[in-house]
Amino acid sequence: MLDRLSLDGRVAVVTGGGTGLGLEMVRHLARAGANLAVAGRRSGPIESAADEVKAMGQDAIAVSTDVSDSAQANALIDAAIQHFGRVDVLINNAALVSDSIPTPIWDISDQDWQAALDVNLSGAFYCARAASKPMADQGQGKIINVSSGFGLRGGRDIYMYCCTKGGIIQLTRVLSFSLARYGVTANSIVPGFIPTVGTDSEIRDALPRSGAYLPTGKLGVPEDIGPVAVFLASSASDYMTGETFTLDGGGLAGGLAPTGYAPEIPLEP
Amino acid sequence: MPLLPQYSLAGKTAILYSAGGDEAPFLAQALAEAGASVFAICRRQETLDAVSESLSNEPGRHSGVAAVIDSKGAVDAAMAEFRGRHERVDILVNDGRSMFARAAKEIWLDDWDEVQSRNVRSTFLISQAVGSEMIGQGYGRIVNIISGLAERGMINGSAFSVSQAGLLALTRSLAVEWGQHNIRVNAIGVGWTTAEDIPVEEQRQEQLVRYIPVRQKGQPRDIGPLLVYLCSEACDYTTGQPVYVDGGLNAHP
């Protein structure tokens, strides 16, 4: 039953695929046998990612895309179908990480709020809308939306990131319910704190320096997400839909209580 | 077929506990296919026989014992059997889903206690024994197979649901308590499953099947690959989490 974890010949579209967690998912999907359409706003990182996939012997294209523009989201899916003939997997990973920098609510402009919604939530909706029809027509498809632990818990002064990532989980549930009858599944990956090379210094300063407060005692590494993305992209997850798959060092299970501290309380008489 | 090497359990030894149901053979097969040696602890001899039958192509590598795990003595005896055959335990899979459904006002206290004992008390006793060894060696993976009724109510389901919610709380608590020892504890939550091969059209004559978003019952093989991943070394940053594989039941009204 483990051969269902192979992606041999599948076609996957990954947004935000040139850097960070997106790049790591691209690498693992290619290792599992998938061909890739790598999307991102900047051409340099996505072309380099596509070259890496081709060096592994898989086919790949790089498609410069700003997912907040629905015409570009449509063009991305069209480009993948034109090149590969089909789309089996869509990973909505693109997000403005800059809006995870804590900002007091009174300092957030209309434009700041809207820009984050446009990329993080509307972008995922546009790509899902473009990919779901061809997936439904072929009777199978996998939509994977990258949310965040901030999609399930609040963060101090982190408005847009929390709201859009929470929206991603709801988008996943509605997609799953609506597309189940067409053989298309939708699931969310919920990463906790996983520092990536792309994380700039201002964001890095806002993130925890170590995972000492987590049950695992350490932060995640980008490689952690690879096998989870491959599982959700593969037919091994065909009976799983509308769900979240969390990689967070145990943070959500226990909350942010410092680990190692716990009182012992004797049984009452 | 290209497969990520992260999904391998080669060289690992797994203990599989089954409180009931007919899915243990499939879980054992998934672990064995990924390369693990399996030692089964089954409440019923019939389940152990089915597990042994499912692993019969490599009889020397796998073994097990039929035992009612309701006391420290019982778990110690089962662990003594295990130690007679294996050096160390890397993986523990608990399937604590002995089913029971009856109207709440008609549940006898003996039945209530028996359901909690089969599903929760036994899983705790085994986890405590195996977890102690895992703490000593600084490595372990524990996966509890639970029902989605851990999250939802069902008519006639009170005793069983309470046991499943208990297993989910145990999953979270042990994950937080043992994370520092490089032990990961997760759960797979399943929906309405059957181990029989029933044609989909026949299944859909039942109203409850049509209520499941994917409109068919789950099969134990649907959770095999996920079980293997959650038991693997690569599953290092996910802990204390239930992953539901339930045809979309948990995500819709």
Side-chain angles (χ1 to χ4, degrees):
Chain A
M1 66 187 101
L2 296 183
D3 54 11
R4 293 171 74 187
L5 286 161
S6 171
L7 299 179
D8 203 10
R10 302 285 177 98
V11 176
V13 176
V14 181
T15 69
T19 56
L21 297 181
L23 174 60
E24 211 52 57
M25 289 190 279
V26 164
R27 287 173 175 152
H28 280 83
L29 264 60
R31 270 174 220 150
N35 301 314
L36 270 299
V38 187
R41 276 181 300 174
R42 291 177 294 140
S43 60
I46 57 174
E47 275 162 18
S48 145
D51 288 344
E52 210 179 306
V53 171
K54 283 187 259 189
M56 290 181 212
Q58 302 300 127
D59 195 5
I61 55 171
V63 187
S64 291
T65 310
D66 177 351
V67 295
S68 69
D69 174 358
S70 67
Q72 293 190 44
N74 292 341
L76 165 63
I77 302 303
D78 287 345
I81 290 174
Q82 193 168 7
H83 185 84
F84 298 106
R86 58 190 289 122
V87 171
D88 300 295
V89 180
L90 166 67
I91 303 188
N92 281 313
N93 170 67
L96 283 183
V97 286
S98 59
D99 65 82
S100 61
I101 300 170
T103 312
I105 189 168
W106 42 79
D107 290 338
I108 297 171
S109 69
D110 292 7
Q111 289 81 1
D112 292 341
W113 170 260
Q114 195 59 52
L117 260 68
D118 285 348
V119 175
N120 296 9
L121 191 52
S122 300
F125 174 79
Y126 296 149
C127 291
R129 185 174 61 183
S132 55
K133 189 66 171 63
M135 285 178 175
D137 287 345
Q138 73 199 11
Q140 66 167 58
K142 299 275 175 181
I143 299 174
I144 301 167
N145 297 319
V146 179
S147 179
S148 164
F150 281 131
L152 293 164
R153 299 279 196 270
R156 183 185 296 138
D157 290 334
I158 304 176
Y159 288 92
M160 290 83 82
Y161 203 71
C162 290
C163 293
T164 55
K165 291 301 188 180
I168 283 286
I169 290 172
Q170 279 298 77
L171 173 65
T172 305
R173 292 191 177 122
V174 181
L175 286 169
S176 75
F177 197 12
S178 312
L179 301 178
R181 68 190 59 196
Y182 304 107
V184 179
T185 68
N187 291 290
S188 306
I189 299 179
V190 178
F193 291 114
I194 304 179
T196 59
V197 177
T199 311
D200 67 32
S201 60
E202 200 177 350
I203 297 165
R204 203 186 297 275
D205 286 347
L207 294 175
R209 302 293 169 94
S210 81
Y213 68 97
L214 290 170
T216 53
K218 61 184 180 185
L219 299 174
V221 293
E223 291 79 4
D224 287 326
I225 203 171
V228 174
V230 169
F231 164 67
L232 292 176
S234 77
S235 62
S237 62
D238 278 355
Y239 201 66
M240 177 174 175
T241 192
E243 284 308 326
T244 53
F245 201 125
T246 302
L247 304 100
D248 71 336
L252 288 165
L256 288 184
T259 52
Y261 169 76
E264 290 202 0
I265 303 166
L267 203 60
E268 282 186 49
Chain B
M1 297 286 268
L3 277 184
L4 293 185
Q6 285 99 324
Y7 299 128
S8 170
L9 301 179
K12 304 289 189 195
T13 301
I15 293 178
L16 168 64
Y17 168 65
S18 169
D22 52 8
E23 298 183 17
F26 299 91
L27 305 176
Q29 275 181 326
L31 296 168
E33 188 182 329
S37 302
V38 178
F39 181 85
I41 303 174
C42 300
R43 188 177 57 80
R44 303 170 67 206
Q45 180 66 46
E46 190 186 338
T47 312
L48 180 65
D49 292 344
V51 170
S52 304
E53 172 67 28
S54 75
L55 301 175
S56 56
N57 56 339
E58 292 174 296
R61 201 151 72 87
H62 313 288
S63 55
V65 61
V68 174
I69 307 294
D70 58 358
S71 68
K72 190 76 171 57
V75 76
D76 286 349
M79 289 305 290
E81 289 271 343
F82 171 77
R83 280 190 211 96
R85 298 169 192 270
H86 299 280
E87 297 279 309
R88 58 176 269 150
V89 52
D90 307 283
I91 295 162
L92 170 62
V93 178
N94 295 304
D95 184 357
R97 291 179 296 154
S98 184
M99 187 62 193
F100 176 73
R102 183 168 297 160
K105 66 182 172 58
E106 288 161 16
I107 293 176
W108 297 359
L109 206 50
D110 283 353
D111 289 337
W112 176 277
D113 287 344
E114 180 64 20
V115 172
Q116 310 313 327
S117 178
R118 286 179 182 183
N119 293 344
V120 187
R121 184 183 172 96
S122 58
T123 297
F124 173 72
L125 280 165
I126 293 173
S127 301
Q128 188 182 44
V130 173
S132 300
E133 300 210 355
M134 288 175 169
I135 289 169
Q137 70 202 14
Y139 180 86
R141 297 288 182 265
I142 300 176
V143 179
N144 296 321
I145 314 293
I146 64 173
S147 160
L149 292 177
E151 302 267 6
R152 290 196 173 196
M154 185 181 85
I155 291 171
N156 298 341
S158 58
F160 181 72
S161 293
V162 164
S163 75
Q164 301 304 295
L167 291 175
L168 177 53
L170 184 66
T171 302
R172 294 189 176 119
S173 298
L174 296 183
V176 171
E177 198 164 321
W178 292 347
Q180 61 188 309
H181 304 293
N182 200 18
I183 298 169
R184 307 291 174 251
V185 189
N186 292 291
I188 298 176
V190 302
W192 195 10
T193 60
T194 175
E196 293 173 53
D197 274 312
I198 305 167
V200 170
E201 289 313 317
E202 193 178 319
Q203 289 187 33
R204 286 182 187 159
Q205 286 167 18
E206 277 187 83
Q207 189 184 15
L208 279 172
V209 170
R210 298 198 297 275
Y211 170 80
I212 303 169
V214 305
R215 300 170 79 228
Q216 55 184 297
K217 293 182 189 180
Q219 285 273 346
R221 61 175 173 265
D222 291 327
I223 62 171
L226 174 62
L227 174 66
V228 167
Y229 170 68
L230 292 175
C231 290
S232 73
E233 281 189 40
C235 177
D236 191 29
Y237 201 51
T238 293
T239 195
Q241 282 296 325
V243 181
Y244 290 97
V245 182
D246 62 0
L249 275 176
N250 215 21
H252 86 132

